[in-house]
Amino acid sequence: MSPIIHTHSLRVRYGETDQMSVVYHTNYLNWFEVGRTELIRAAGLSYRQLEEKGVLLPLTDASISYKKPAKYDDVVEIRTHVELISPLRLTFAYEIVRLPDEELLVTGKTMHVFTTTDLRPIRLSKTEPEVYAWLEAQHKGEQL
């Protein structure tokens, strides 16, 4: 089965572009964060609530591949899914496409570990089994 893909659309703001009206490269990483925040929100849980439960998701690695530039006032869609999950780690994969033609602009991944608020690794499957089960179901393409 394929993972469930969560989507979030936004319009490129002027402040996200350079003098050529092209989105500045680091903004795509910010959009990745928007994608994973909205994916977690789809579980009925915000990042803030996860942190209040004592669980953090620090970033350990990021990769990004630029295909074509987004420009000022474009409408783009961030497509996010859980690519890999284990009790200790989580990898999200992303595609950013321009709408309405769905032209692929950027692909990327971010890797995270589950930790306590003092950055000690934890097994999410034991600490927050419901959250872990939901993320695992997303990866497997299952609805809970």
Side-chain angles (χ1 to χ4, degrees):
M1 293 185 85
S2 298
I4 296 173
I5 298 172
H6 294 270
T7 62
H8 181 79
S9 298
L10 57 86
R11 186 175 298 275
V12 176
R13 297 169 296 202
Y14 185 78
E16 295 170 319
T17 65
D18 60 20
Q19 190 174 12
M20 299 174 288
S21 294
V22 171
V23 170
Y24 186 68
H25 66 279
T26 59
N27 284 308
Y28 294 101
L29 291 170
N30 291 330
W31 293 351
F32 288 0
E33 182 178 359
V34 169
R36 68 179 174 268
T37 298
E38 293 305 318
L39 182 147
I40 291 170
R41 190 179 314 280
L45 184 69
S46 71
Y47 248 108
R48 172 172 287 177
Q49 290 169 314
L50 199 56
E51 290 176 351
E52 287 170 354
K53 291 174 177 278
V55 177
L56 300 181
L57 288 170
L59 180 76
T60 60
D61 293 279
S63 65
I64 190 165
S65 180
Y66 303 97
K67 312 294 183 193
K68 295 186 176 186
K71 296 190 174 190
Y72 171 65
D73 211 33
D74 281 350
V75 175
V76 297
E77 184 174 76
I78 307 159
R79 298 175 179 171
T80 309
H81 70 271
V82 175
E83 184 175 78
L84 296 169
I85 185 167
S86 77
L88 298 171
R89 299 182 200 322
L90 179 62
T91 300
F92 294 100
Y94 311 87
E95 287 185 342
I96 297 177
V97 298
R98 183 181 357 261
L99 297 178
D101 60 358
E102 300 202 14
E103 184 175 22
L104 181 62
L105 305 176
V106 171
T107 60
K109 296 179 185 179
T110 58
M111 282 86 19
H112 306 261
V113 293
F114 301 114
T115 71
T116 61
T117 54
D118 59 354
L119 302 179
R120 282 191 249 151
I122 58 172
R123 292 186 180 278
L124 191 68
S125 56
K126 292 185 179 182
T127 308
E128 289 295 328
E130 300 85 15
V131 175
Y132 182 80
W134 186 86
L135 289 167
E136 190 173 43
Q138 296 301 296
H139 170 64
K140 293 178 179 178
E142 301 169 352
Q143 295 284 350
L144 286 184

